[in-house]
Amino acid sequence: MGRIIAILILYVASLLNHSFAAARAQDADIKGKVVNPENQPVASASVYLMSSTGNVLIKSAVTDENGAYTILKAPKGNYYIEVTSVGYGKARSAAFDLADKLVTVEDIKLLPASQTIETVTVQGQMPTVKNVNGKLVLNVENSTLAAGNNALEVVKRAPGVSVDKDDNLQLMGQQGVNVTIDGRLTYMSGEQLATFLKSTDAAQIKSVEVTTTRQAKDDAEGAIGTINIVLKKNNTEGFNGSFVASAGHGKYFRGNSSLALNYKKKNTTLFGSYAYTNNKEINELDIIRDIAGKERTTYFNQEADMIEKNQSHTFRVGVEQKTSNSNTLMFQVSGNNYLEDANNNSITNIGFTPTTIDTVLRSPSIVDMSFGRISFNLNNEYKIDTLGSKLTLDLDYSLFKNRSDMDYVYRTEHPNTGALFYPEEREHSNMPTDIDIYVGKLDYIKPLKKGSLEAGLKYSNVKSDNNMMFERLVGSTWENVEDRTNHFIYTEQISAGYVDYSRPLGKKWSAKVGVRAEYTISDGNLVTNNSTVRRDYLDFFPSANIGYNINENHILSLSYAKKVSRPNYRSLNPFRYYIDKLTYQLGNPYVNPQYTHGFSLNYTLMKMFNFTLGTDITNDAIVESMGQDSIRTWVTKENLGKSVTSYLNMNIPYRVGKFWTMNNNITALYMHFKGPIAGYEIDKGSFFIQGNSYHNFRLGQQWSAEATINGNTPFVYNLFKIHARIGVDIGANYNFKDQKSSLKLAVTDVFRSNRNNLTTNFNEFQSKIRQYNDRQTIRLTYTYKFGNLKQQIRKSDSRNEEKDRVSQ
């Protein structure tokens, strides 16, 4: 990892040196025209300004209806123009020196291609990760490494994103991430969200957007930032669709398939998709603990292998109707059903030291889990006038049903003879969870003479009902265990309103300021013992952004936003979630929301290279804590006094020669925790680096390859030392000559090195955890596209951008 970081830092330095040298020179404009063999203009062609030294993409443009294009304010240097368009082969101009204020390039002639589909070639020219309006966007629509994978594996590849040992998403190394789908909150806890993403086929995903800033119109939830999953949308006229089938093998076989259909005629669009997955995998977990007692220190060495079999069905169906020139109505239904059977074989060796074992605890368990979701969404967009005034109504209803039945067996044996010290113990738990979510939003946009006004209202109502039952077999009768059974109902209502105002300040400056108010009423009702924790509070969340355009190639912005992270219902439910009789998770109903003040300075160079320097100051930070007695260990959530995280994120796309494009994302972080935790005061900081490097190789008209390298250096997170890790994925793609079919082969975690390992060395808490989740896999994926595939680029792009603004 260290060599990779060193190479990338040297690489950044050379890029900056070249770019700033270019910036000191006077910028110039470039004009030209694209025509077909009959010298007729080609509209909507993609135009790329390429550096002759290194073949680096500098800028891009699109031709107008006359086939003309203009590239403004390019730095002096030696360049050529490259052009692509649907139905034509790729063409390029002769190299030229840009020294004057205006250069006119000779007309570029496009020759017809043998087929009309060339979208893969066009996408191969653009970086996998790019900066769009302050968001880092990971494009995965045609990625070889995303093919046949699930949504969680794809999201983990996004810039600055990682997961902890329980597959909870993190951003810039921190928890408290707001995860949305097409701009809508998921309202799921960490475990539920991980399960949902695992059951979602990556073939449905267009891109993943990452941002650490927020505007007043955005939900205040998400102390660190937001990860938005953008689903695919198709606006091609007529009927079309795609079929995907994938087979893979890790320790065991896994496979999935999906079908997407779309039909558009004039003002009506019908769409639908279905995906099925069937996986089997093994998760390996080793935990070593030393627990000091009054008379002796007890050594525990637990080795657990959980074999999981899971199946999922995911669907989405909807209609979009343009009811008039100014009004568009969309209704969609989506859902998924996830079934999992797991066998956990756990053996714990107990003694004075690793060499003096006096007891063996065998804890086999069987898990039967199901997770179901169905969501209804109604969206209506009304364009008030032709100046851009718009009113958008968005209504959502979602229903979640989660069931988890677990059977535990405990055998306490002599290490040599296998004789039982106690009679075999059997326990059973049934943990149903029902969640109902109602959400309504109304957004208004009004362009003003010198700026733009945005305002809106939102109301959400969430109810989570958890009726947990725990039983123990006594003789031949199952008896309720009262201190481990509970019924917890959590309700939360949030009423919000916001105002955002933006305007330019002269030719180079711009500003956007806003404030969001959220009134929250939450009620945690522990029905079992008739106790209630009720909260009722009003919060204001200001935000501000100041932008300064030095010129088109050098853009600065300074942002501030106040954000909040509320504890999820599982963190609040005081129920013991047992891994075995010696290890469990414990909810804490007294955890308060955490509030974060986020500051960031963003610099965009040449519309390609993005650098963000930020600091997040969090009060009452929600962190994972530990507790233990003479034999048991548990994990819970607490409010720490304060945490401060400072980071520098660098996103650097680059092109080497004609066939190799890459995107490097490096995040350097310093995290500091201060306050009471696990009965002690902590005042500790840690520096570490996260890195992601994406590579695409164009090996000809039909062949391409991809590779990714990601990892982090070791660091301390609160009580835990997270070990270094690195993962390498590779893949190859073959496009058949009909341009309708493709075959992708991918290998993930090539060296079996992407592991979640951590240790604790904090007062009496001494432990080592080693975890591997069967990531090393090989997958073969076949994709077939059918129907009308002739894209209308201009119409499609503008439509997608508008829909993205509506959904966000």
Side-chain angles (χ1 to χ4, degrees):
M1 186 70 188
R3 290 185 177 180
I4 296 171
I5 294 168
I7 292 171
L8 290 177
I9 290 175
L10 291 173
Y11 188 55
V12 172
S14 65
L15 281 173
L16 290 176
N17 182 61
H18 171 77
S19 300
F20 280 116
R24 288 191 292 267
Q26 186 178 7
D27 296 337
D29 298 340
I30 303 170
K31 291 186 177 182
K33 189 175 181 180
V34 179
V35 297
N36 63 17
E38 289 75 35
N39 288 321
Q40 296 174 336
V42 178
S44 301
S46 298
V47 180
Y48 306 102
L49 176 64
M50 310 294 297
S51 171
S52 296
T53 57
N55 296 313
V56 180
L57 173 62
I58 303 300
K59 287 191 172 188
S60 63
V62 178
T63 58
D64 60 18
E65 62 273 11
N66 298 315
Y69 63 87
T70 302
I71 298 176
L72 300 174
K73 296 183 178 179
K76 291 183 178 181
N78 187 265
Y79 302 103
Y80 64 89
I81 298 293
E82 191 170 274
V83 181
T84 60
S85 182
V86 173
Y88 296 94
K90 182 167 57 177
R92 58 183 288 179
S93 71
F96 59 89
D97 288 318
L98 185 61
D100 300 326
K101 292 185 178 181
L102 175 63
V103 170
T104 300
V105 179
E106 185 178 347
D107 289 356
I108 299 175
K109 185 172 294 186
L110 294 180
L111 299 177
S114 58
Q115 299 291 335
T116 59
I117 306 302
E118 290 291 340
T119 54
V120 173
T121 301
V122 175
Q123 291 172 350
Q125 303 299 324
M126 300 302 291
T128 305
V129 179
K130 58 182 179 180
N131 183 281
V132 180
N133 298 325
K135 298 178 182 179
L136 290 177
V137 181
L138 171 65
N139 296 299
V140 298
E141 191 165 9
N142 291 288
S143 171
T144 300
L145 297 174
N149 236 322
N150 62 54
L152 180 62
E153 292 299 320
V154 168
V155 172
K156 283 158 49 175
R157 302 174 190 272
V161 177
S162 59
V163 295
D164 63 12
K165 60 181 176 62
D166 300 314
D167 280 336
N168 295 311
L169 289 171
Q170 298 174 321
L171 183 59
M172 302 303 174
Q174 306 171 74
Q175 296 182 353
V177 184
N178 185 23
V179 179
T180 61
I181 298 176
D182 282 339
R184 299 180 180 90
L185 282 171
T186 55
Y187 294 98
M188 285 181 267
S189 65
E191 182 185 27
Q192 285 183 327
L193 180 62
T195 300
F196 168 72
L197 293 177
K198 287 178 183 178
S199 67
T200 301
D201 187 6
Q204 301 183 35
I205 299 176
K206 175 186 176 183
S207 61
V208 180
E209 301 174 344
V210 176
T211 179
T212 57
T213 62
R214 57 167 292 274
Q215 306 171 68
K217 72 174 182 179
D218 300 324
D219 289 279
E221 181 71 29
I224 307 307
T226 300
I227 300 172
N228 183 41
I229 302 170
V230 181
L231 301 179
K232 291 181 180 178
K233 300 178 180 68
N234 194 322
N235 288 281
T236 305
E237 194 75 18
F239 173 76
N240 58 79
S242 64
F243 171 74
V244 178
S246 180
H249 206 285
K251 201 76 172 180
Y252 304 97
F253 174 82
R254 58 190 68 181
N256 60 64
S257 60
S258 65
L259 176 68
L261 302 172
N262 189 83
Y263 176 75
K264 181 179 181 181
K265 186 172 183 180
K266 296 182 179 179
N267 296 326
T268 304
T269 301
L270 302 173
F271 57 90
S273 63
Y274 168 77
Y276 170 74
T277 64
N278 190 330
N279 293 333
K280 183 178 180 180
E281 57 190 70
I282 182 171
N283 296 322
E284 304 167 8
L285 176 65
D286 297 334
I287 304 177
I288 298 175
R289 290 169 287 177
D290 289 307
I291 299 180
K294 292 182 180 180
E295 299 180 355
R296 58 174 258 188
T297 296
T298 306
Y299 169 83
F300 298 84
N301 185 352
Q302 179 183 0
E303 296 181 358
D305 292 332
M306 178 177 285
I307 299 176
E308 298 179 359
K309 298 178 182 178
N310 58 72
Q311 299 180 34
S312 68
H313 304 266
T314 306
F315 76 92
R316 183 167 61 119
V317 61
V319 57
E320 183 177 275
Q321 179 68 46
K322 190 172 183 179
T323 58
S324 69
N325 290 332
S326 58
N327 196 78
T328 302
L329 178 69
M330 186 188 72
F331 177 74
Q332 67 175 335
V333 182
S334 62
N336 65 303
N337 182 47
Y338 178 83
L339 302 174
E340 179 182 300
D341 295 319
N343 292 313
N344 184 18
N345 295 311
S346 173
I347 300 176
T348 305
N349 293 312
I350 307 171
F352 291 99
T353 67
T355 57
T356 55
I357 302 300
D358 53 30
T359 306
V360 175
L361 174 64
R362 298 184 183 274
S363 310
S365 62
I366 298 175
V367 181
D368 184 8
M369 188 186 77
S370 65
F371 174 83
R373 174 193 67 94
I374 186 167
S375 299
F376 304 87
N377 171 254
L378 177 69
N379 180 281
N380 191 85
E381 177 191 288
Y382 177 67
K383 297 179 180 178
I384 300 173
D385 54 38
T386 59
L387 300 177
S389 298
K390 184 167 59 176
L391 190 65
T392 305
L393 174 68
D394 203 81
L395 301 175
D396 283 281
Y397 169 65
S398 298
L399 174 65
F400 298 85
K401 286 187 176 295
N402 192 8
R403 301 290 182 268
S404 181
D405 291 318
M406 299 186 67
D407 290 291
Y408 308 88
V409 177
Y410 301 116
R411 294 176 55 88
T412 307
E413 303 175 350
H414 190 281
N416 298 324
T417 65
L420 293 175
F421 286 109
Y422 318 104
E424 184 178 87
E425 303 171 78
R426 291 182 176 270
E427 295 175 337
H428 173 77
S429 68
N430 180 23
M431 297 186 288
T433 302
D434 295 334
I435 305 175
D436 294 310
I437 302 171
Y438 301 87
V439 181
K441 290 198 307 177
L442 186 65
D443 297 293
Y444 173 69
I445 299 176
K446 174 67 175 177
L448 302 176
K449 185 176 181 180
K450 293 185 178 181
S452 178
L453 177 69
E454 299 178 61
L457 300 170
K458 180 179 179 180
Y459 172 77
S460 65
N461 188 317
V462 181
K463 179 182 179 182
S464 174
D465 191 336
N466 314 267
N467 193 0
M468 310 291 189
M469 181 273 296
F470 206 99
E471 297 177 318
R472 179 178 293 126
L473 185 63
V474 180
S476 60
T477 305
W478 287 99
E479 295 184 357
N480 182 49
V481 182
E482 292 187 0
D483 64 341
R484 291 168 66 175
T485 295
N486 79 345
H487 186 192
F488 184 71
I489 300 176
Y490 179 73
T491 58
E492 182 181 83
Q493 299 179 65
I494 301 177
S495 302
Y498 73 89
V499 176
D500 260 326
Y501 177 71
S502 60
R503 61 163 296 175
L505 303 174
K507 294 183 179 180
K508 292 184 176 293
W509 291 88
S510 63
K512 185 168 190 175
V513 295
V515 64
R516 184 181 185 89
E518 293 190 352
Y519 177 55
T520 304
I521 301 174
S522 66
D523 191 346
N525 181 14
L526 187 58
V527 180
T528 307
N529 60 10
N530 196 27
S531 64
T532 302
V533 178
R534 181 180 175 86
R535 294 185 175 93
D536 185 340
Y537 51 95
L538 173 66
D539 284 319
F540 291 92
F541 299 93
S543 60
N545 178 278
I546 298 176
Y548 177 60
N549 288 15
I550 302 173
N551 56 48
E552 195 178 54
N553 296 317
H554 303 275
I555 302 174
L556 291 169
S557 65
L558 179 65
S559 300
Y560 162 77
K562 180 184 176 183
K563 297 168 278 189
V564 65
S565 278
R566 301 174 180 88
N568 60 60
Y569 78 90
R570 178 161 178 167
S571 298
L572 297 170
N573 185 2
F575 179 77
R576 298 178 181 179
Y577 301 86
Y578 277 84
I579 300 173
D580 59 32
K581 66 185 300 182
L582 303 179
T583 314
Y584 60 87
Q585 294 178 343
L586 177 64
N588 180 4
Y590 301 103
V591 176
N592 293 313
Q594 67 175 27
Y595 293 90
T596 299
H597 298 275
F599 303 85
S600 64
L601 175 64
N602 184 270
Y603 169 56
T604 302
L605 171 67
M606 308 291 292
K607 290 188 176 181
M608 293 178 59
F609 310 107
N610 193 76
F611 306 87
T612 302
L613 180 66
T615 297
D616 291 317
I617 303 171
T618 302
N619 297 311
D620 290 330
I622 301 174
V623 296
E624 195 169 83
S625 179
M626 296 182 68
Q628 64 186 29
D629 54 26
S630 59
I631 60 172
R632 295 179 179 84
T633 300
W634 60 89
V635 176
T636 188
K637 293 291 182 70
E638 292 183 9
N639 288 108
L640 185 73
K642 191 175 185 178
S643 70
V644 178
T645 300
S646 300
Y647 59 88
L648 171 63
N649 179 268
M650 299 177 288
N651 191 70
I652 307 156
Y654 195 67
R655 181 169 177 173
V656 181
K658 297 180 179 181
F659 70 99
W660 181 9
T661 58
M662 69 173 72
N663 188 284
N664 305 300
N665 190 273
I666 308 170
T667 307
L669 302 102
Y670 181 78
M671 305 176 68
H672 191 271
F673 299 91
K674 184 176 182 180
I677 193 71
Y680 297 92
E681 287 287 328
I682 188 173
D683 190 351
K684 187 179 296 185
S686 177
F687 173 82
F688 66 104
I689 294 175
Q690 291 180 334
N692 298 274
S693 187
Y694 307 85
H695 302 259
N696 182 280
F697 304 90
R698 181 65 55 187
L699 306 177
Q701 290 294 324
Q702 295 175 264
W703 283 97
S704 65
E706 291 182 34
T708 67
I709 305 171
N710 62 85
N712 61 262
T713 60
F715 64 100
V716 176
Y717 187 88
N718 192 21
L719 306 180
F720 309 98
K721 179 181 179 180
I722 313 298
H723 292 202
R725 65 175 180 177
I726 187 168
V728 178
D729 305 334
I730 59 175
N733 178 76
Y734 176 76
N735 291 312
F736 291 91
K737 291 183 178 181
D738 63 4
Q739 290 295 316
K740 294 181 179 181
S741 307
S742 66
L743 201 61
K744 298 178 174 67
L745 179 67
V747 181
T748 58
D749 197 13
V750 176
F751 302 107
R752 198 178 166 85
S753 55
N754 197 355
R755 299 171 176 268
N756 289 319
N757 297 336
L758 60 91
T759 58
T760 58
N761 185 15
F762 183 74
N763 295 300
E764 72 265 28
F765 301 104
Q766 305 290 324
S767 64
K768 297 179 181 179
I769 299 176
R770 304 290 183 269
Q771 187 174 15
Y772 189 74
N773 291 335
D774 203 3
R775 291 190 175 94
Q776 188 181 60
T777 61
I778 182 170
R779 298 187 315 277
L780 184 65
T781 303
Y782 173 75
T783 302
Y784 177 71
K785 298 178 181 180
F786 53 88
N788 180 25
L789 303 179
K790 190 173 181 179
Q791 300 289 334
Q792 301 175 20
I793 292 180
R794 172 175 293 183
K795 184 176 181 180
S796 175
D797 286 352
S798 63
R799 184 63 176 173
N800 280 336
E801 291 172 1
E802 193 167 12
K803 285 296 295 177
D804 288 343
R805 290 197 297 271
V806 171
S807 64
Q808 293 167 10

